[in-house]
Amino acid sequence: DPSTGLYLDGEGSRHSSLHANALPLAFGLVPEARRDRVADFVASRSRQCSPYFMLYVLEGLCRSGREKDVFDALLADDDRSWLGMLDFGATMGMEAWNLKVKPNLDVNHSWVAIPLHFIVRWILGVNPTAPGWADVSVTPHLGPLAWAEGDVPTPRGVVHVRAERQADGTIRTIVNHQ
């Protein structure tokens, strides 16, 4: 839509949904000149979708350098959040955010373990740079965290990362690849 700078839901539509904007943002298809407008729109509607679709919302926000928005979504503590799922008593990702959204939900949907994906790929910053994890890059994003530490199993062994914010604001990162 030239007047808003947002993507429309389809040909002939005048509506711009979270989904229609999060997907091009996640896949790097939004031109730089419109990226901030689309990212603002996506961030303003974060968690207004299913837990599964949050993968694309967070990917788009990461790609747009929206660290605060990513952490706001990951650390939210309301009835449309992963912490809300824990408060509900779930020990694994739930099919929907809560019973109000889907009264017949179940609590065993591992495909909505999106926070784990982002802890590995974004907070710890471990990503493959060659097929089969033959090489990796490690670029942590701590956001409001003072430190993060974890083990990332790969086909080529475990990558252990410890990232810690220093007094001067820089991040000290120690990586061991076993």
Side-chain angles (χ1 to χ4, degrees):
D1 181 348
S3 66
T4 65
L6 299 174
Y7 290 90
L8 298 170
D9 291 356
E11 288 185 38
S13 174
R14 299 299 313 146
H15 183 260
S16 295
S17 67
L18 170 62
H19 296 75
N21 286 273
L23 288 171
L25 196 62
F27 291 107
L29 302 174
V30 179
E32 189 173 339
R34 289 199 320 238
R35 194 170 302 130
D36 285 342
R37 174 67 183 113
V38 173
D40 286 345
F41 180 83
V42 169
S44 75
R45 286 157 177 75
S46 176
R47 297 181 297 119
Q48 304 258 329
C49 58
S50 70
Y52 171 79
F53 194 77
M54 280 301 295
L55 172 68
Y56 304 104
V57 169
L58 294 175
E59 286 282 351
L61 293 172
C62 286
R63 239 183 218 279
S64 302
R66 305 298 287 264
E67 187 169 286
K68 182 184 181 320
D69 294 323
V70 172
F71 275 97
D72 285 350
L74 289 173
L75 300 173
D77 190 12
D78 56 31
D79 68 350
R80 279 184 165 266
S81 68
W82 288 283
L83 291 174
M85 289 182 192
L86 293 175
D87 288 344
F88 180 78
T91 57
M92 168 178 257
M94 296 179 356
E95 180 180 15
W97 293 117
N98 57 55
L99 291 170
K100 290 183 280 186
V101 174
K102 188 171 190 312
N104 65 336
L105 69 83
D106 63 49
V107 294
N108 64 348
H109 274 65
S110 60
W111 50 258
V112 296
I114 308 307
L116 181 57
H117 172 80
F118 278 89
I119 289 169
V120 169
R121 291 201 45 223
W122 201 66
I123 295 173
L124 293 175
V126 179
N127 288 284
T129 56
W133 291 76
D135 193 27
V136 299
S137 70
V138 179
T139 309
H141 295 86
L142 293 182
L145 304 175
W147 63 273
E149 183 171 11
D151 290 327
V152 180
T154 77
R156 307 269 181 167
V158 174
V159 178
H160 177 81
V161 177
R162 175 158 178 93
E164 187 173 326
R165 188 176 316 284
Q166 304 298 293
D168 66 0
T170 60
I171 298 174
R172 178 175 179 246
T173 305
I174 299 169
V175 179
N176 292 312
H177 195 175
Q178 305 163 1

Short mmCIF file of all heavy atoms in Angstrom, two decimals, residues 6-51:
data_model
loop_
_atom_site.label_atom_id
_atom_site.label_comp_id
_atom_site.label_asym_id
_atom_site.label_seq_id
_atom_site.Cartn_x
_atom_site.Cartn_y
_atom_site.Cartn_z
N LEU A 6 2.94 -0.34 3.97
CA LEU A 6 2.77 -1.70 4.49
C LEU A 6 2.30 -2.64 3.38
O LEU A 6 1.77 -2.20 2.35
CB LEU A 6 1.74 -1.71 5.62
CG LEU A 6 2.08 -0.88 6.84
CD1 LEU A 6 0.91 -0.85 7.81
CD2 LEU A 6 3.35 -1.38 7.51
N TYR A 7 2.49 -3.93 3.61
CA TYR A 7 2.02 -4.94 2.67
C TYR A 7 0.55 -5.23 2.94
O TYR A 7 0.12 -5.28 4.10
CB TYR A 7 2.85 -6.22 2.80
CG TYR A 7 4.25 -6.03 2.29
CD1 TYR A 7 5.26 -5.60 3.14
CD2 TYR A 7 4.55 -6.23 0.95
CE1 TYR A 7 6.55 -5.39 2.67
CE2 TYR A 7 5.84 -6.02 0.47
CZ TYR A 7 6.82 -5.60 1.34
OH TYR A 7 8.09 -5.38 0.86
N LEU A 8 -0.19 -5.42 1.87
CA LEU A 8 -1.60 -5.77 1.96
C LEU A 8 -1.76 -7.28 1.97
O LEU A 8 -0.87 -8.01 1.54
CB LEU A 8 -2.37 -5.16 0.79
CG LEU A 8 -2.33 -3.63 0.73
CD1 LEU A 8 -2.90 -3.12 -0.59
CD2 LEU A 8 -3.08 -3.04 1.91
N ASP A 9 -2.91 -7.73 2.43
CA ASP A 9 -3.15 -9.17 2.56
C ASP A 9 -3.23 -9.90 1.23
O ASP A 9 -3.05 -11.10 1.17
CB ASP A 9 -4.43 -9.42 3.35
CG ASP A 9 -4.28 -9.04 4.81
OD1 ASP A 9 -3.16 -8.66 5.22
OD2 ASP A 9 -5.27 -9.10 5.55
N GLY A 10 -3.51 -9.21 0.15
CA GLY A 10 -3.58 -9.85 -1.16
C GLY A 10 -4.11 -8.87 -2.19
O GLY A 10 -4.49 -7.74 -1.86
N GLU A 11 -4.14 -9.31 -3.42
CA GLU A 11 -4.65 -8.46 -4.49
C GLU A 11 -6.09 -8.07 -4.19
O GLU A 11 -6.91 -8.91 -3.83
CB GLU A 11 -4.58 -9.20 -5.82
CG GLU A 11 -3.16 -9.34 -6.34
CD GLU A 11 -3.12 -9.97 -7.72
OE1 GLU A 11 -4.01 -9.66 -8.54
OE2 GLU A 11 -2.20 -10.76 -7.95
N GLY A 12 -6.38 -6.79 -4.34
CA GLY A 12 -7.73 -6.30 -4.10
C GLY A 12 -8.04 -6.01 -2.65
O GLY A 12 -9.07 -5.44 -2.33
N SER A 13 -7.18 -6.40 -1.73
CA SER A 13 -7.40 -6.16 -0.31
C SER A 13 -6.95 -4.75 0.06
O SER A 13 -6.02 -4.20 -0.53
CB SER A 13 -6.62 -7.18 0.52
OG SER A 13 -6.72 -6.87 1.89
N ARG A 14 -7.57 -4.17 1.05
CA ARG A 14 -7.15 -2.89 1.61
C ARG A 14 -6.66 -3.09 3.04
O ARG A 14 -6.41 -2.12 3.75
CB ARG A 14 -8.31 -1.88 1.60
CG ARG A 14 -8.85 -1.55 0.24
CD ARG A 14 -7.91 -0.93 -0.77
NE ARG A 14 -7.12 0.17 -0.25
CZ ARG A 14 -5.87 0.45 -0.62
NH1 ARG A 14 -5.28 -0.28 -1.55
NH2 ARG A 14 -5.22 1.45 -0.11
N HIS A 15 -6.54 -4.33 3.48
CA HIS A 15 -6.15 -4.65 4.85
C HIS A 15 -4.70 -5.10 4.93
O HIS A 15 -4.24 -5.88 4.10
CB HIS A 15 -7.05 -5.76 5.40
CG HIS A 15 -6.76 -6.09 6.82
ND1 HIS A 15 -6.01 -7.17 7.19
CD2 HIS A 15 -7.11 -5.46 7.96
CE1 HIS A 15 -5.91 -7.20 8.51
NE2 HIS A 15 -6.57 -6.18 9.00
N SER A 16 -4.00 -4.61 5.92
CA SER A 16 -2.60 -5.02 6.18
C SER A 16 -2.58 -5.81 7.48
O SER A 16 -2.82 -5.26 8.56
CB SER A 16 -1.70 -3.79 6.32
OG SER A 16 -1.63 -3.09 5.11
N SER A 17 -2.29 -7.09 7.39
CA SER A 17 -2.25 -7.94 8.59
C SER A 17 -0.82 -8.09 9.11
O SER A 17 0.15 -7.82 8.40
CB SER A 17 -2.81 -9.33 8.26
OG SER A 17 -1.94 -10.01 7.37
N LEU A 18 -0.72 -8.56 10.33
CA LEU A 18 0.58 -8.90 10.90
C LEU A 18 1.27 -9.93 10.00
O LEU A 18 2.45 -9.79 9.68
CB LEU A 18 0.39 -9.47 12.32
CG LEU A 18 1.61 -10.11 12.97
CD1 LEU A 18 2.73 -9.09 13.16
CD2 LEU A 18 1.22 -10.74 14.29
N HIS A 19 0.55 -10.95 9.58
CA HIS A 19 1.12 -12.02 8.78
C HIS A 19 1.68 -11.52 7.45
O HIS A 19 2.78 -11.90 7.04
CB HIS A 19 0.07 -13.11 8.52
CG HIS A 19 -0.38 -13.78 9.77
ND1 HIS A 19 -1.23 -13.18 10.66
CD2 HIS A 19 -0.10 -15.00 10.28
CE1 HIS A 19 -1.44 -14.00 11.67
NE2 HIS A 19 -0.77 -15.11 11.47
N ALA A 20 0.91 -10.66 6.77
CA ALA A 20 1.33 -10.16 5.46
C ALA A 20 2.58 -9.30 5.56
O ALA A 20 3.29 -9.12 4.57
CB ALA A 20 0.20 -9.36 4.82
N ASN A 21 2.88 -8.77 6.73
CA ASN A 21 4.05 -7.91 6.90
C ASN A 21 5.20 -8.64 7.58
O ASN A 21 6.36 -8.36 7.29
CB ASN A 21 3.66 -6.65 7.66
CG ASN A 21 2.88 -5.71 6.78
OD1 ASN A 21 3.47 -4.91 6.08
ND2 ASN A 21 1.56 -5.84 6.76
N ALA A 22 4.91 -9.57 8.47
CA ALA A 22 5.98 -10.30 9.17
C ALA A 22 6.75 -11.21 8.22
O ALA A 22 7.98 -11.33 8.34
CB ALA A 22 5.41 -11.11 10.33
N LEU A 23 6.06 -11.86 7.29
CA LEU A 23 6.75 -12.80 6.39
C LEU A 23 7.78 -12.11 5.50
O LEU A 23 8.94 -12.55 5.45
CB LEU A 23 5.75 -13.62 5.59
CG LEU A 23 5.01 -14.67 6.42
CD1 LEU A 23 3.88 -15.29 5.60
CD2 LEU A 23 5.95 -15.73 6.93
N PRO A 24 7.44 -11.04 4.78
CA PRO A 24 8.48 -10.40 3.96
C PRO A 24 9.60 -9.82 4.82
O PRO A 24 10.76 -9.82 4.40
CB PRO A 24 7.73 -9.32 3.18
CG PRO A 24 6.39 -9.20 3.79
CD PRO A 24 6.12 -10.45 4.56
N LEU A 25 9.27 -9.38 6.02
CA LEU A 25 10.30 -8.85 6.91
C LEU A 25 11.25 -9.98 7.34
O LEU A 25 12.48 -9.83 7.30
CB LEU A 25 9.65 -8.20 8.14
CG LEU A 25 10.50 -7.29 8.99
CD1 LEU A 25 10.99 -6.09 8.21
CD2 LEU A 25 9.70 -6.84 10.22
N ALA A 26 10.68 -11.13 7.68
CA ALA A 26 11.49 -12.28 8.13
C ALA A 26 12.40 -12.80 7.02
O ALA A 26 13.51 -13.26 7.29
CB ALA A 26 10.58 -13.41 8.61
N PHE A 27 11.95 -12.75 5.79
CA PHE A 27 12.72 -13.30 4.68
C PHE A 27 13.56 -12.26 3.95
O PHE A 27 14.12 -12.54 2.89
CB PHE A 27 11.79 -14.05 3.71
CG PHE A 27 11.25 -15.31 4.31
CD1 PHE A 27 9.92 -15.39 4.70
CD2 PHE A 27 12.07 -16.40 4.51
CE1 PHE A 27 9.42 -16.55 5.27
CE2 PHE A 27 11.58 -17.56 5.09
CZ PHE A 27 10.26 -17.63 5.47
N GLY A 28 13.67 -11.08 4.54
CA GLY A 28 14.55 -10.05 3.98
C GLY A 28 14.07 -9.46 2.67
O GLY A 28 14.87 -9.02 1.86
N LEU A 29 12.76 -9.43 2.46
CA LEU A 29 12.20 -8.95 1.20
C LEU A 29 11.74 -7.50 1.25
O LEU A 29 11.34 -6.95 0.22
CB LEU A 29 11.03 -9.85 0.78
CG LEU A 29 11.36 -11.33 0.61
CD1 LEU A 29 10.10 -12.13 0.34
CD2 LEU A 29 12.39 -11.51 -0.51
N VAL A 30 11.78 -6.88 2.42
CA VAL A 30 11.30 -5.50 2.55
C VAL A 30 12.44 -4.55 2.18
O VAL A 30 13.52 -4.62 2.77
CB VAL A 30 10.82 -5.22 3.99
CG1 VAL A 30 10.35 -3.78 4.12
CG2 VAL A 30 9.72 -6.19 4.40
N PRO A 31 12.22 -3.67 1.21
CA PRO A 31 13.27 -2.70 0.86
C PRO A 31 13.65 -1.85 2.07
O PRO A 31 12.81 -1.53 2.91
CB PRO A 31 12.62 -1.84 -0.23
CG PRO A 31 11.49 -2.67 -0.76
CD PRO A 31 11.03 -3.51 0.38
N GLU A 32 14.91 -1.49 2.13
CA GLU A 32 15.42 -0.74 3.28
C GLU A 32 14.62 0.52 3.57
O GLU A 32 14.38 0.86 4.72
CB GLU A 32 16.89 -0.40 3.06
CG GLU A 32 17.54 0.19 4.29
CD GLU A 32 19.03 0.39 4.13
OE1 GLU A 32 19.64 -0.25 3.26
OE2 GLU A 32 19.57 1.20 4.89
N ALA A 33 14.16 1.18 2.53
CA ALA A 33 13.42 2.43 2.71
C ALA A 33 12.10 2.22 3.46
O ALA A 33 11.59 3.15 4.08
CB ALA A 33 13.13 3.07 1.34
N ARG A 34 11.55 1.01 3.43
CA ARG A 34 10.27 0.72 4.11
C ARG A 34 10.45 -0.14 5.35
O ARG A 34 9.48 -0.39 6.07
CB ARG A 34 9.32 0.02 3.15
CG ARG A 34 8.79 0.94 2.07
CD ARG A 34 7.54 0.40 1.42
NE ARG A 34 7.57 -1.04 1.18
CZ ARG A 34 7.43 -1.60 0.00
NH1 ARG A 34 7.27 -0.87 -1.07
NH2 ARG A 34 7.46 -2.90 -0.12
N ARG A 35 11.66 -0.61 5.60
CA ARG A 35 11.89 -1.59 6.67
C ARG A 35 11.44 -1.08 8.05
O ARG A 35 10.78 -1.80 8.80
CB ARG A 35 13.35 -2.02 6.70
CG ARG A 35 13.56 -3.26 7.56
CD ARG A 35 14.94 -3.85 7.41
NE ARG A 35 15.19 -4.18 6.02
CZ ARG A 35 16.27 -3.83 5.35
NH1 ARG A 35 17.24 -3.16 5.93
NH2 ARG A 35 16.43 -4.16 4.09
N ASP A 36 11.78 0.15 8.40
CA ASP A 36 11.40 0.65 9.72
C ASP A 36 9.89 0.71 9.90
O ASP A 36 9.36 0.35 10.95
CB ASP A 36 12.01 2.03 9.98
CG ASP A 36 13.49 1.97 10.31
OD1 ASP A 36 13.99 0.88 10.66
OD2 ASP A 36 14.15 3.02 10.21
N ARG A 37 9.18 1.16 8.86
CA ARG A 37 7.72 1.26 8.94
C ARG A 37 7.09 -0.12 9.12
O ARG A 37 6.22 -0.31 9.95
CB ARG A 37 7.17 1.93 7.67
CG ARG A 37 5.67 1.95 7.58
CD ARG A 37 5.05 2.85 8.65
NE ARG A 37 3.61 2.78 8.58
CZ ARG A 37 2.85 2.25 9.53
NH1 ARG A 37 3.37 1.77 10.63
NH2 ARG A 37 1.55 2.22 9.37
N VAL A 38 7.57 -1.10 8.35
CA VAL A 38 7.02 -2.45 8.46
C VAL A 38 7.40 -3.06 9.81
O VAL A 38 6.56 -3.68 10.47
CB VAL A 38 7.50 -3.34 7.28
CG1 VAL A 38 7.08 -4.79 7.47
CG2 VAL A 38 6.95 -2.79 5.96
N ALA A 39 8.63 -2.86 10.27
CA ALA A 39 9.05 -3.39 11.57
C ALA A 39 8.25 -2.75 12.71
O ALA A 39 7.88 -3.43 13.67
CB ALA A 39 10.55 -3.17 11.78
N ASP A 40 7.97 -1.45 12.63
CA ASP A 40 7.13 -0.80 13.64
C ASP A 40 5.76 -1.46 13.70
O ASP A 40 5.23 -1.73 14.77
CB ASP A 40 6.95 0.69 13.32
CG ASP A 40 8.17 1.53 13.59
OD1 ASP A 40 9.10 1.06 14.29
OD2 ASP A 40 8.21 2.68 13.09
N PHE A 41 5.18 -1.70 12.52
CA PHE A 41 3.86 -2.32 12.44
C PHE A 41 3.89 -3.73 13.05
O PHE A 41 3.03 -4.09 13.86
CB PHE A 41 3.42 -2.38 10.97
CG PHE A 41 2.08 -3.01 10.76
CD1 PHE A 41 0.91 -2.27 10.93
CD2 PHE A 41 1.97 -4.34 10.38
CE1 PHE A 41 -0.34 -2.85 10.73
CE2 PHE A 41 0.74 -4.92 10.17
CZ PHE A 41 -0.42 -4.18 10.34
N VAL A 42 4.88 -4.51 12.67
CA VAL A 42 4.99 -5.88 13.19
C VAL A 42 5.20 -5.86 14.71
O VAL A 42 4.54 -6.61 15.44
CB VAL A 42 6.13 -6.64 12.46
CG1 VAL A 42 6.45 -7.96 13.15
CG2 VAL A 42 5.75 -6.87 11.00
N ALA A 43 6.08 -5.01 15.20
CA ALA A 43 6.32 -4.93 16.64
C ALA A 43 5.06 -4.51 17.40
O ALA A 43 4.80 -5.01 18.49
CB ALA A 43 7.46 -3.95 16.93
N SER A 44 4.27 -3.62 16.81
CA SER A 44 3.06 -3.14 17.50
C SER A 44 2.00 -4.23 17.61
O SER A 44 1.08 -4.11 18.42
CB SER A 44 2.48 -1.93 16.76
OG SER A 44 1.83 -2.32 15.56
N ARG A 45 2.11 -5.29 16.82
CA ARG A 45 1.13 -6.37 16.84
C ARG A 45 1.73 -7.69 17.31
O ARG A 45 1.11 -8.74 17.20
CB ARG A 45 0.50 -6.53 15.46
CG ARG A 45 -0.47 -5.41 15.17
CD ARG A 45 -0.69 -5.19 13.71
NE ARG A 45 -1.68 -4.16 13.45
CZ ARG A 45 -1.48 -2.85 13.60
NH1 ARG A 45 -0.31 -2.41 14.01
NH2 ARG A 45 -2.43 -1.98 13.33
N SER A 46 2.92 -7.63 17.85
CA SER A 46 3.61 -8.83 18.32
C SER A 46 2.71 -9.61 19.27
O SER A 46 2.03 -9.03 20.10
CB SER A 46 4.90 -8.42 19.02
OG SER A 46 5.54 -9.54 19.56
N ARG A 47 2.71 -10.90 19.12
CA ARG A 47 1.95 -11.85 19.92
C ARG A 47 0.44 -11.78 19.67
O ARG A 47 -0.34 -12.31 20.42
CB ARG A 47 2.28 -11.72 21.41
CG ARG A 47 3.74 -12.05 21.68
CD ARG A 47 4.17 -11.97 23.13
NE ARG A 47 4.03 -10.64 23.64
CZ ARG A 47 3.24 -10.29 24.66
NH1 ARG A 47 2.54 -11.18 25.30
NH2 ARG A 47 3.17 -9.04 25.08
N GLN A 48 0.03 -11.14 18.58
CA GLN A 48 -1.38 -11.12 18.18
C GLN A 48 -1.63 -12.26 17.18
O GLN A 48 -2.60 -12.22 16.44
CB GLN A 48 -1.72 -9.78 17.55
CG GLN A 48 -1.42 -8.63 18.44
CD GLN A 48 -2.64 -8.06 19.12
OE1 GLN A 48 -3.73 -8.11 18.58
NE2 GLN A 48 -2.45 -7.55 20.29
N CYS A 49 -0.71 -13.20 17.16
CA CYS A 49 -0.79 -14.35 16.26
C CYS A 49 -0.60 -15.61 17.10
O CYS A 49 -0.50 -15.54 18.31
CB CYS A 49 0.30 -14.24 15.19
SG CYS A 49 1.96 -14.14 15.88
N SER A 50 -0.51 -16.73 16.45
CA SER A 50 -0.29 -17.98 17.17
C SER A 50 1.15 -18.06 17.67
O SER A 50 2.04 -17.41 17.13
CB SER A 50 -0.57 -19.18 16.25
OG SER A 50 0.46 -19.26 15.27
N PRO A 51 1.40 -18.87 18.70
CA PRO A 51 2.79 -19.06 19.15
C PRO A 51 3.69 -19.56 18.01
O PRO A 51 4.83 -19.15 17.92
CB PRO A 51 2.67 -20.11 20.25
CG PRO A 51 1.28 -19.99 20.76
CD PRO A 51 0.46 -19.60 19.56
#
